[in-house]
Amino acid sequence: AHVPGLPSAFCSTDLAVQLFYLISGFYMALVLDTKYEHSTAGTRAFLFNRILRIYPLYFFALFIRLLTPNVGLYLEHWAGLKPLLLGVFAASNLFVVGQDMFLWLGIDLQGNLFLTSNFQNIPRSLHTLVLVPQAWSLAIELIFYALSPWLLRKSTRTLGLVIAVSLAMRVFLASQGFGHDPWTYRFWPCEIGIFLLGALSYRWGWGRSL
């Protein structure tokens, strides 16, 4: 769907990302069940290995991005950011955390931030200045990874309740006029239900002890 000229009817961007969440939930449940013991040491090992999976490849992508000819245009816009925002924004570009929230933030000509419910209807959204724009999905995955050692070891009833709340939130937002991007697949409270459905599919089909 990101390649110009190719049809996206086979799999839309939102469906592709949500399938990614679903598979991720399945895999996180699998590795927590089969590889990491339910202890502080097991949790630390799990989180450390998630970092190793994400950051080396992300840093490589960021390095390649900094070598592209038009990167100067992005960095010129950075010069208009206020010092505090510039520091937070640079840190997020380096460490990914928080990049999903940029989809709800616009920036005016004076460098002031404002909230927006639709980044496509404003002149400049903060996410357009991100060096690796696709990394917003990694920011959401990092939230899921941080919650997984605690959440995926809860009872099936608890996970079902979280799923129900997540899906109800999605329906409510759509009924209030928020049935468009970024609400449809980039708002993590609505997407964690899909992640947990993947986890439950492991528990019901292959799980041993979770």
Side-chain angles (χ1 to χ4, degrees):
H2 286 283
V3 178
L6 292 182
S8 60
F10 176 73
C11 187
S12 63
T13 52
D14 53 349
L15 178 59
V17 171
Q18 288 171 328
L19 287 172
F20 170 63
Y21 297 148
L22 190 74
I23 294 170
S24 178
F26 178 93
Y27 184 66
M28 291 306 104
L30 183 152
V31 297
L32 279 169
D33 188 29
T34 60
K35 188 175 180 180
Y36 301 98
E37 60 184 29
H38 191 182
S39 65
T40 301
T43 297
R44 287 176 179 171
F46 169 81
L47 295 174
F48 180 71
N49 283 332
R50 303 286 69 77
I51 290 172
L52 289 181
R53 295 283 182 135
I54 293 290
Y55 282 102
L57 286 174
Y58 175 74
F59 290 148
F60 177 75
L62 183 61
F63 175 73
I64 295 299
R65 180 69 181 89
L66 290 172
L67 297 180
T68 57
N70 66 340
V71 71
L73 296 176
Y74 284 74
L75 298 180
E76 285 178 10
H77 288 300
W78 283 32
L81 301 178
K82 294 183 177 180
L84 179 60
L85 175 59
L86 178 61
V88 172
F89 190 69
S92 185
N93 271 266
L94 182 60
F95 297 111
V96 183
V97 177
Q99 289 193 24
D100 55 313
M101 299 307 299
F102 297 157
L103 294 156
W104 281 268
L105 293 172
I107 183 169
D108 61 24
L109 295 178
Q110 288 72 44
N112 299 310
L113 290 179
F114 60 89
L115 291 172
T116 177
S117 63
N118 190 343
F119 66 86
Q120 301 179 72
N121 290 341
I122 60 175
R124 187 167 63 155
S125 170
L126 194 60
H127 92 281
T128 61
L129 305 183
V130 174
L131 290 171
V132 184
Q134 301 85 353
W136 65 265
S137 61
L138 296 180
I140 292 179
E141 274 294 299
L142 288 173
I143 295 172
F144 294 164
Y145 293 163
L147 293 174
S148 288
W150 169 75
L151 189 56
L152 296 188
R153 289 190 167 111
K154 297 295 184 181
S155 68
T156 297
R157 179 178 297 182
T158 299
L159 296 191
L161 178 61
V162 176
I163 291 170
V165 171
S166 178
L167 295 179
M169 187 182 302
R170 180 188 300 276
V171 172
F172 174 75
L173 288 172
S175 71
Q176 299 301 307
F178 300 104
H180 54 77
D181 190 9
W183 301 94
T184 49
Y185 68 108
R186 310 198 211 208
F187 186 51
W188 77 263
C190 290
E191 304 310 317
I192 196 169
I194 296 174
F195 176 83
L196 293 178
L197 283 172
L200 284 185
S201 71
Y202 168 76
R203 182 177 295 189
W204 290 334
W206 290 271
R208 300 183 307 180
S209 62
L210 281 183

